[in-house]
Amino acid sequence: MTRVRLDYPRRGRRGPARFLPSWRQWLGVALLGLAAVVGLAGWVYATTPIPDVNAEARSEATVYYWADGTQMASVGPVNRQNVPLSDVPGPLRDAVIATENATFYSDPGFSVRGLARAVVATARGGELQGGSTITQQYVKNTYLTQERTASRKVRELFLSVKLSRTLSKDEILQGYLNTSWFGRGAYGVQAAAVAYYGTDARDLDPSRSALLAALLKGGDLYDPALGEEHRRRAEARWRYVLDRQVELGLMTPDERAAHTVFPEPRPRSVANGLAGQVGYLVDAADKDLRNRTGLTPEALGRGGYRIRTTFDRAAVERLRRAVEDAGPAADAGGPGADAGSPGAEGASGAARDGAVQVGAASVRPGDGAVLALYGGPDATRHFSSNADTAGVPAGSAFTPFVVAAALQRGLVGDDTPRRALALRRALVRGDPGAFLRLGEAVGPAGVREVAVDAGLLPRSMAPLEPAFALGTSTPSAIRMAGAYATFASGGRRADPYSVTAVTYRGVPVAGLERPPARQVLDPDVAREVARGLRDVAVDAVDPATLAALGPIAAGRTGDRDRSPAAWFVGYGEELSTAVTVFRTRPDGGGLLPLTGAGAGDSGGAGEYGGAGGSGSAGDSGAEDAGAGAAGAGGVDPSAGGPALRVWSAYMAASAAAGEGGGGAGARAAE
């Protein structure tokens, strides 16, 4: 019998060359490796069965709970209506294939190029990528889960190949179109056609079909009803889908030329169970859950979750009543009156010329739990939450961060007590010149750093210009309440959160552990800023409210603001609450000045002349007690700005209920 001997180390060679394999040996090793990979792939393919349809494809509601464990809302079941491929028009099928998987009818269930791209990206340390074909996406939607792991991707690949040999391409396409998520809670083309156009899928024309195909890239990113930026993205993607069909020969240039007007979808609608404030609370909980766990909107939309929130039902009701009884809507036609709402017929010219909006949030200092929100008059009519809005400048409510930055960097000079007192007086006066000089001394970057450290989001910060110190940044009410709570907690920051626990079909969802509060400001700095805020609050809030909230000193700020929004932000021992009032243009193109927005009672420059103190139309200082609605020494909040009135009503009601009290505040006024 002939014996095969491996010539290694190699004979006839000397030194290190004996250990260098020959090309034949290299080729042999490569062939053996290739054979092993092929054999392993064959074994995995043969032993990978096609499983039953997963639980993700079955409809189930997601239930949200109040902080006390009682049910707040039930969202679902999953909005899906399966239809045969014969009910899906050809233009819609072509649009989906053109934009999602041009080689669908010829590929083996996966894309070699896409797979290679995903492997290279992952090998470089990037996020695990998809490179998914229509078949792979159908497998993920129907047989697997949404987790982004290597093992799931391997199973997806082999199941896709096996399914391509088991089902026809039309069957796979039908399944994909019935299980895909299009936004607005719609799964499948039939539900999407109804959600966006109020029609059956079979009646969609090529233009509308192109928009639905565009939504497959992300319904939460391309729904035009969600904002101007979403609309721009949707239009660009819609044009791409149509042009791509021409490029692939699925549509002629003449047919493409007939579709030049964007097919505007109908307005979003919200289930009745999400009416009032509940829709805003659910939206806030969903955002918090996505940010902390990585759950996608598609995964949440499939249902099956049980979500325990931090929202206090009684606190939410107190905040709603405060807005309706004391806010601008009460002056414009009664509780809850807003442009387009019941009671708006008697609204002032403000509501006709531009809707006056209120947003508010209340968090627990030291912990960050969001206890209450006011997002707008009704989530089924006003979709964007004013408590979490962007684009509303903070004005002089931002100046405490300027003071904190100066103190943190030791810019108070040698005579620390005297300079600290001067800073507190500057907060009371709301002198823009003083804060411009202070901001220049600290530097806009230094002020920004302290504001972000305190809890404001970096993306809400304005460009670093000289006016930065005057509050050109646009934080949300939630973040303002949280950042002021940092001062209340001696410089310890606890980020706002609204979800405490989640289970999915009985299994706890990981990633919801709360990080401990961390020290971001020197305790002495936080205490000194708090002293100034106590001066501000006492001078702005009426004596009766002060007595209800606890002993605080006097002060006022914002008399000379030129911000188009009004703010009042204040905290006590148990609550930190932010209220913002702003006026939107009828066309949604920005903010209108609050000055003169309605018939004032004694508010100087119209009812909305002050956010919580002065309604002065001029540039008078704090000494001019007769120029504004709020004179020195405190006034009846009904004579002040609506932001102050809402804050006062809510905090007083909370104190009466045994929550809150001992507060400090600051405000920005027009």
Side-chain angles (χ1 to χ4, degrees), residues 114-152:
L115 181 62
R117 183 172 60 249
V119 169
V120 170
T122 304
R124 289 177 176 175
E127 184 180 358
L128 186 65
Q129 295 190 3
S132 294
T133 62
I134 284 177
T135 305
Q136 287 176 274
Q137 293 180 61
Y138 172 57
V139 167
K140 179 181 66 175
N141 292 342
T142 309
Y143 299 103
L144 301 176
T145 66
Q146 300 294 315
E147 62 181 349
R148 298 179 65 85
T149 62
S151 61
R152 198 271 292 165

Side-chain angles (χ1 to χ4, degrees), residues 3 74 89 164 176-177 189 201 246 327 460 559 578 589 622:
R3 297 179 59 189
S74 178
S164 292
Y176 170 71
L177 292 174
V189 293
V246 175
S460 70
D559 295 45

Side-chain angles (χ1 to χ4, degrees), residues 21 38 82 96 125 169 196 216 221 226 269 288 301 320 354 406 411 417 441 452 464 471 524 570 583:
V38 171
N82 292 335
V96 170
K169 288 291 188 178
Y196 286 90
L216 288 168
L221 294 175
L226 292 177
S269 61
D288 186 41
R320 182 193 66 80
L411 298 180
V452 171
L464 299 181
D524 290 336
R583 186 178 171 213

Side-chain angles (χ1 to χ4, degrees), residues 75-90:
V75 180
V78 169
N79 181 19
R80 179 184 6 245
Q81 301 175 49
N82 292 335
V83 294
L85 193 62
S86 58
D87 280 352
V88 180

Side-chain angles (χ1 to χ4, degrees), residues 397-413:
F398 185 81
T399 54
F401 304 110
V402 183
V403 173
L407 293 169
Q408 189 88 341
R409 284 157 177 74
L411 298 180
V412 295

